[in-house]
Amino acid sequence: MKAKLLALPVITALTLLASEVSAQRYQAEVFSNVNITTDVQYATNISVLSGSPAMVNLNMDIYEPAGDTATQRPLIIFMHTGSYLPAYINGTPTGSRNDSATVEMCNQFARRGYVVANMDYRLGWNPVSSSLDVRRGTLLQAVYRSIQDAKACVRWHRAEAAGANTYKIDPNLIILGGQGTGGYIALNYAVLDKPSEINLQKFISSITVPGLYIAGQSYVLQDTLGDFDGYGGVPWWNNPNNTPGFPTNVQFVFNLGGAMGDSSWIEAGDAPMVAMHVIGDPFAPYDSGIVYVPGTPPQAVVDVAGSRRVLKIANQLGNNNCFANNGFTDPYTQTANLSNEGFEGLFPFPTVPAVQAGPWEWVDSATVYNVAPLYGQNPTNIYYGFLQTNPANSKTRALAYIDSIMGYLNPRMCYCLGFCPPWSPTGLNPNAELASLVSIGPNPSAGNVDINLDQITQPVQSIELTDISGRVIRNFAIDTRKRYTVYRDDLNAGIYFVRLRFDSGEVNKKIILE
């Protein structure tokens, strides 16, 4: 019954959006086919998956819309689930960039016009230790390494874009997201940037494990593992030579069923966030609580902040202002608003039964029974363990959830980052003609940017310059002039918006400062 209730508004929404936006790029799947370049190496680094440190290649699959002629496209870096262990070894049939839901979402993003990098990251920790310190310490180190890997991937794409730009990306429009474990990486990537943040009491070891951590110190020793960007450390634990010199900031993050190490890490000015989360997720808390990893029985590791808590704080700090007050009225938003308590950017999934994880996942039972024995695993245990938290295991049901994810997420990314054609929350932009008369240039610019209103016949009420979170940086004094200038002065490189208000409505223009 739940699947039908979910699917009905999805179908209705897609019908409405298709008629209103005429298959608008990034909002709908405007491309029929996708080109996939597999096993592109973005870095090398030290893995502990085998038990001893060893250098490994870090690869990704790159998805592009077939037949696309655009030369500056937003990039989504997407990360799979898996609890930092390979599929089957982790007690589930998921855990790679080839998972059904991962591949489906990457294809759907690409058919909408994005470039998608479906990336691997380093695995390996000790989930079966009887010592909480060992479980917690090795998992937190795994999270830390994966953040370093994601930053190496971001740098690789910016370096490639500065050269051949084979994949035709806009290096100022990089979005980071993931499901499950990948959602953890995305959220923590966006906010973890100070050594003091990894020295909170819950991250301090009470024991010494030679070569891993020291009693009374953080589980994450940057002198050993390197800094947040992956530089430094000792050679047998970290390889820092992964496209150094390029920035690692991202413009937007999204999370499907992940969590954040601590909500105190969130600060004003962090990247805008969207999260989709099952309210009864048994592994990652919806609000806050202990994170558990799959197993028999599931093992407690550390207390974290789930999607509800994260989005509540992000909204309070104004980080989501770029889309939070824009009056979305589509069926996806209406559904989310039934249970998100007004926290824009949060899509809670109430499920029946309540305790579930990742209803957007599905697996082929025959594959489980064929592959699990190759890993020394009991296929019956693996398959029925998966059904305990995803009891339907229905592709149709999973695709309905993915439709809701896409329908809720894409408009917010588009509206916030300004890479869509003229668009409004209802799918049409009543001010499109007015917007076409406002000229902004040069854009991109390494210096000042001029605002030209020569073709505007009505008076302008206000002009503001905002950052991508919607925070107002400058207000312009309004008079009878037809031209205004955004002076570069101390503005950092990045994306900004010029917001102009007229009697007949509002116009937003994106500018890029190089």
Side-chain angles (χ1 to χ4, degrees), residues 151-152 154-155 158 189 229 231 246-250:
K151 292 196 173 187
V154 170
R155 287 196 301 269
R158 283 207 167 102
Y189 184 113
D229 286 327
Y231 301 137
F246 286 86
T248 58
N249 62 303
V250 296

Side-chain angles (χ1 to χ4, degrees), residues 332-507:
Y332 307 104
T333 297
Q334 293 176 30
T335 301
N337 289 350
L338 293 175
S339 51
N340 70 7
E341 305 168 75
F343 304 142
E344 238 293 347
L346 175 63
F347 197 149
F349 288 139
T351 57
V352 179
V355 177
Q356 292 191 41
W360 44 83
E361 301 274 5
W362 78 93
V363 300
D364 174 31
S365 59
T367 300
V368 174
Y369 276 88
N370 288 330
V371 175
L374 302 178
Y375 290 84
Q377 304 296 314
N378 184 314
T380 299
N381 290 345
I382 293 288
Y383 184 61
Y384 284 96
F386 178 77
L387 292 184
Q388 286 178 351
T389 56
N390 197 338
N393 188 31
S394 161
K395 180 178 179 179
T396 300
R397 180 175 183 263
L399 291 176
Y401 277 97
I402 291 174
D403 282 342
S404 291
I405 290 165
M406 292 290 171
Y408 189 77
L409 172 62
N410 284 292
R412 285 157 176 80
M413 293 195 299
C414 274
Y415 195 93
C416 188
L417 301 184
F419 53 72
C420 286
W423 178 84
S424 76
T426 57
L428 297 172
N429 185 356
N431 298 316
E433 183 177 355
L434 181 62
S436 69
L437 301 178
V438 178
S439 174
I440 302 285
N443 191 22
S445 175
N448 301 334
V449 177
D450 292 325
I451 306 169
N452 186 333
L453 306 179
D454 285 344
Q455 298 185 64
I456 300 293
T457 58
Q458 58 181 291
V460 59
Q461 296 176 347
S462 66
I463 303 176
E464 299 170 331
L465 181 69
T466 73
D467 61 17
I468 63 169
S469 73
R471 179 171 58 95
V472 177
I473 298 173
R474 292 180 186 170
N475 284 288
F476 292 75
I478 303 302
D479 50 35
T480 58
R481 285 179 294 162
K482 290 289 187 177
R483 303 206 175 193
Y484 298 83
T485 299
V486 178
Y487 291 101
R488 179 63 182 265
D489 295 336
D490 58 349
L491 292 175
N492 294 324
I495 297 173
Y496 298 86
F497 291 89
V498 175
R499 180 188 298 156
L500 305 99
R501 292 188 176 91
F502 301 91
D503 289 340
S504 61
E506 180 180 297
V507 169

Side-chain angles (χ1 to χ4, degrees), residues 95-131:
S96 81
R97 55 187 155 103
N98 297 316
D99 291 345
S100 297
T102 300
V103 171
E104 176 65 27
M105 284 188 270
C106 290
N107 272 304
Q108 286 203 23
F109 281 127
R111 290 196 295 267
R112 283 171 165 81
Y114 298 93
V115 178
V116 186
N118 180 6
M119 62 164 276
D120 281 339
Y121 49 88
R122 285 174 288 171
L123 309 179
W125 68 295
N126 187 351
V128 298
S129 174
S130 60
S131 167

